[in-house]
Amino acid sequence: MRALDLDYMLGLVPVILGYVPLTLFMAAVAMVLALLLASLMAVERVIKVPVLDGFVRLFISFFRGTPLLVQLFLFYYGLPQIFAFLTQIDGVTAAIMGLTLHFSAYMAESIRAAIVGVDRSQWEAAESIGMTRGQMMRRIILPQAGRIAAPTLVNYFIDMIKSTSLAFTLGVTEMMGAAQKEAAGSFRYFEAFLVVAIIYWVMVELLSQAQRQLEGRLNRAFAR
Amino acid sequence: MIDIRGLTKRFGHQTVLDGIDLSIEAGERVVVIGPSGTGKSTLLRCINFLDRPDSGTIRLSNLGVDAKAASRADILALRRRTAFVFQNYALFANRTAKQNIMEALVTVQKQPKAEAEKRALAILAETGLSERADSYPAALSGGQQQRVGIGRAMAIGAELMLFDEPTSALDPEWVGEVLDLMRRIAERRQTMLIVTHEMQFAREIADRVLFMDGGRIVEEGPPDAIFENATDPRTRAFLKRVRSDGSA
Ligand SMILES: Nc1ncnc2c1ncn2[C@@H]1O[C@H](COP(=O)(O)OP(=O)(O)OP(=O)(O)O)[C@@H](O)[C@H]1O
Ligand SMILES: [Mg+2]
């Protein structure tokens, strides 16, 4: 056993930190897209549009039922063999797409559950004043469902940040990729990956704290 | 003004409304009384299509809706010309008192926001809730919530206001303020259809009282006739029962 090379690690921190923006970029873009897609699917699952409902259920079932890594490989390495135009997609785009589809399937289920969890009286009151279904969803139901689902959705975001490390397998030089390259030169693999782990850990801890504050705020919301 | 013919509603095998015929004149205040489970709420809910009637027609001035053939547009039109006050208030939890009243004006009637806000503030003043304009429902007492609920219904400017036991969920201390507000609305000759167990109030406010039992209107007439000289034994038995409960 040898001692940890702390100097090496400290030197590596700024290098890896330089890739944090890319990680956050992938996670943030995928999160926004996944939220949109998940909300649409959740609303569809509640009002059950004929035919479409079958597709949505299949989609959710597939993306929840298979590993993210397999999905990413399928998109990035597999699909271009069938659809030639997909060869132009770079690793970052493919990773964002994969994360979006994968997490939207999970988030659709939590948003659907939250929508169903909104008190019946809220639906009836909205109906009674003559709102259309779209108005009712946008103005009354989804805001309240969002409040119910928010803590879970933040958890998915945290999960998503960690999952961006899989972009490494698509040839993207993100935090993991950078650490791998550095370690390949120095043979200090343990130190390099430990730095990556700590940086992820700190990011997630900061987010968890933000999450706790958000929850406090949400609990007080609508209570003035 | 409103003309209901043959309104029928079943839940499973149970016939809850059994061919209701009911006409209400403009400005008339009609109170519905009757034992629990006889379809009073269902009648009001069917008029608003919160429950979809199985058959029958509802005519509101120039708008005719046949339950069997009602399109989404028919239903929206009917809902926009009627207003519903719920037993449990059913205020929008994510909207303040003022926003609850503005919601239909802004979203459904597409009024400019400033205009809707002015109207909402006037209604809040009228309901004695000006200081609570920016409070969310969770921060209001039951009586305040129901006054906002009534304010929300007033804002619509509906031809017909439907009240489903508006004071039944309230602590006794809040009942008076809600009934007072309803009296003020009644004084303006707003057309109202009210389900209530407040017999004294019914007597005061009603132009006509309907007694419902088993999904039918068993007896109807001016309040004095119903409360003093009911002819149907079911009506008499019901009134006797509520009187001995001390609620009238
Ligand atoms: N959604 C529903 N599904 C099944 N049965 C229902 C439903 N709504 C009402 N019912 C039944 O229909 C009957 C009439 O109910 P309704 O609520 O109209 O009575 P009500 O006269 O308003 O009674 P109360 O004085 O207790 O409010 C009851 O037997 C009730 O159980
Ligand atoms: Mg009832």
Side-chain angles (χ1 to χ4, degrees), chain B residues 8 142 219:
Chain B
T8 302
E219 188 165 7

Side-chain angles (χ1 to χ4, degrees), chain B residues 36-37 39-42 87 164-165 195 197:
Chain B
S36 184
K40 305 182 297 295
S41 297
T42 306
Q87 182 171 355
D164 188 13
E165 297 199 39
V195 175
H197 288 295

Side-chain angles (χ1 to χ4, degrees), chain A residues 143-181:
Chain A
Q144 295 186 48
R147 189 176 149 223
I148 299 172
T152 324
L153 296 177
V154 176
N155 279 338
Y156 283 131
F157 184 55
I158 288 174
D159 217 359
M160 205 179 241
I161 288 181
K162 293 186 290 184
S163 301
T164 57
S165 60
L166 291 174
F168 165 55
T169 62
L170 307 185
V172 177
T173 308
E174 41 65 74
M175 288 164 59
M176 269 304 279
Q180 160 81 25
K181 279 185 185 150

Side-chain angles (χ1 to χ4, degrees), chain A residues 120-122 124-133 135 139-140 143-144 222-224, chain B residues 45 48 50 72 76 79-80 90-95 103 107-108 110 135-136 138-139:
Chain A
R120 212 178 128 70
S121 67
Q122 301 293 305
E124 292 196 336
E127 284 180 345
S128 81
I129 64 170
M131 280 191 181
T132 62
R133 284 216 288 218
Q135 291 169 339
R139 299 191 55 93
I140 306 299
Q144 295 186 48
F222 314 149
R224 178 158 39 115
Chain B
R45 293 170 58 83
N48 210 268
L50 289 175
R72 190 163 291 207
L76 285 183
R79 284 177 178 161
R80 286 169 187 180
L91 297 183
F92 300 125
N94 60 331
R95 295 272 184 274
E103 189 62 43
T107 308
V108 179
K110 311 280 188 217
S135 299
Y136 285 93

Side-chain angles (χ1 to χ4, degrees), chain A residues 24-39 96 99-100 103-104 107 111 157 160:
Chain A
L24 291 180
F25 170 76
M26 288 192 288
V29 173
M31 185 70 187
V32 170
L33 296 177
L35 265 179
L36 279 174
L37 186 57
S39 303
I96 289 175
L99 290 168
T100 298
F103 279 92
S104 70
M107 294 184 344
I111 297 174
F157 184 55
M160 205 179 241

